[in-house]
Structure formats: C-alpha cells, structure tokens
Amino acid sequence: MYEPTQPLPYHRRFYGTSSFAAPEIVTKSPWQSPPAEVWALGMLLSYLMRGASPFPTDADKLAGRVVLDEKSRKRMSEGCINLMQKCLKADPRERATIWDVREDPWLKEGFERLYRIRAAEQAEQTDLKMELELEMDEQMVGDCSSGS
C-alpha cells in the first residue's frame, strides 16, 4: 500500500501497455509509478490528438524526442504540444508531475471552457423548462375558463 508520507517506492516489474511504457521501464531500470503514469498521459494525449505515437523510432522514445509532422503541428495548439512534451521528458526527474499537468494552462483553459458550456446548457434547459411550465399553466387556465 502506498503511504504518501514515505518516499516513493521503486518498481522493477511492469504490467501494462508496452507502447505507453516510459523509457525507464523500457530499459528495465527501477522506476516509480507517478512519473511513469505521467508519461502514459503524454502518450494518451498524442494518440487522442493525432492518432499516433509521437516517437517514430525507439531511439526517439528513449531520448524523449517528440517528433510531429507538419500536419500534426497545424492541428495541435502550441499549448497542447507543450503539455505533451512536458509529460514525455525522458528523465523522470524532469518530467511534469500530475500537479503540473492539473495546473497546465492549456488543460485548465479547456476545462474552464467546458464548464462554461455546461453552465450555459444548464441555464438554457432551465429557461426552456420554465417556458414549458408557463405554457402548461396558461393552457390549464384556458382549459378551466373554457370549461365553465
């Protein structure tokens, strides 16, 4: 069990998706979970944004050398590329932490935009619900007055 007040343990065995494995895992070096997980987040971001690994070769992966073609560079914002590069640093001590990822401006901006959209949708639904209730009230008043 992980104890947050203790130093992070090092691992030697890996059970996961090898294409998402950090360089320290690939080279069979002792590794720590948090930096390896951030690496996997960087890989996931690449697959989500461009549909492919950012490493054309194993040497690129081991060096943490992100290689993006022109099409990918045009499609991805600079903020997205910066976050991916921070997550995919070859040296786990230089790699972003999960807290760095959470505070990344590109990611925060995306979450804030999503929250604004959801708030607008909820407000719109509330307005629509109020309009429907008003229509129903008016209809009921009309039905009552015509039925007497």
Side-chain angles (χ1 to χ4, degrees):
M1 163 116 353
Y2 171 65
E3 175 56 49
T5 60
Q6 299 298 314
L8 290 172
Y10 282 87
H11 306 283
R12 290 203 167 269
R13 287 184 288 187
F14 175 72
Y15 303 98
T17 306
S18 59
S19 60
F20 279 48
E24 59 270 25
I25 295 170
V26 172
T27 60
K28 299 188 180 347
S29 301
W31 55 276
Q32 295 176 303
S33 295
E37 294 299 333
V38 169
W39 176 276
L41 285 174
M43 293 297 295
L44 179 61
L45 183 58
S46 177
Y47 278 97
L48 288 171
M49 298 305 291
R50 56 187 303 264
S53 170
F55 306 114
T57 68
D58 289 340
D60 291 324
K61 180 177 183 172
L62 293 176
R65 191 171 33 252
V66 173
V67 179
L68 300 174
D69 58 19
E70 194 60 36
K71 182 178 176 185
S72 294
R73 288 199 174 275
K74 286 181 180 176
R75 190 174 26 193
M76 297 169 65
S77 71
E78 196 61 39
C80 178
I81 294 169
N82 288 340
L83 176 57
M84 185 171 47
Q85 289 174 326
K86 286 190 265 184
C87 292
L88 297 174
K89 295 269 187 198
D91 185 338
R93 295 168 299 187
E94 295 177 13
R95 200 171 297 149
T97 66
I98 194 64
W99 303 112
D100 296 331
V101 172
R102 285 186 59 180
E103 295 301 314
D104 182 80
W106 177 77
L107 194 59
K108 283 182 89 165
E109 181 184 316
F111 279 129
E112 288 168 7
R113 191 174 327 137
L114 179 62
Y115 293 142
R116 285 194 305 271
I117 290 169
R118 287 214 172 128
E121 287 173 348
Q122 287 176 343
E124 193 174 290
Q125 288 174 354
T126 301
D127 290 345
L128 181 59
K129 183 179 176 185
M130 289 173 57
E131 283 179 35
L132 288 171
E133 288 174 353
L134 184 59
E135 283 179 29
M136 288 173 63
D137 288 347
E138 288 171 354
Q139 188 176 23
M140 286 176 68
V141 168
D143 290 346
C144 288
S145 61
S146 64
S148 38

